[in-house]
Amino acid sequence: MNYDTIKRNFQRGLWSLAQVKAAVRKGVITVAQYEEITGARYQ
């Protein structure tokens, strides 16, 4: 799993905000990448 896969899955509606946030917690993507993918501020 990587940034491109997560972004594509989120855009297709396959991943929720919570799932993308979990990827940040696991160190797969950064907070900045989370915000870029979702358009939402990381909290």
Side-chain angles (χ1 to χ4, degrees):
M1 181 179 341
N2 60 26
Y3 169 81
D4 292 325
T5 303
I6 295 167
K7 182 176 180 179
R8 185 172 47 250
N9 286 342
F10 181 76
Q11 290 173 337
R12 290 180 179 170
L14 302 174
W15 276 43
S16 67
L17 287 172
Q19 289 171 300
V20 180
K21 190 176 280 191
V24 174
R25 287 193 303 267
K26 292 180 181 181
V28 179
I29 60 172
T30 66
V31 170
Q33 288 172 322
Y34 169 90
E35 292 175 350
E36 182 179 322
I37 290 169
T38 64
R41 185 174 174 103
Y42 183 84
Q43 296 181 9

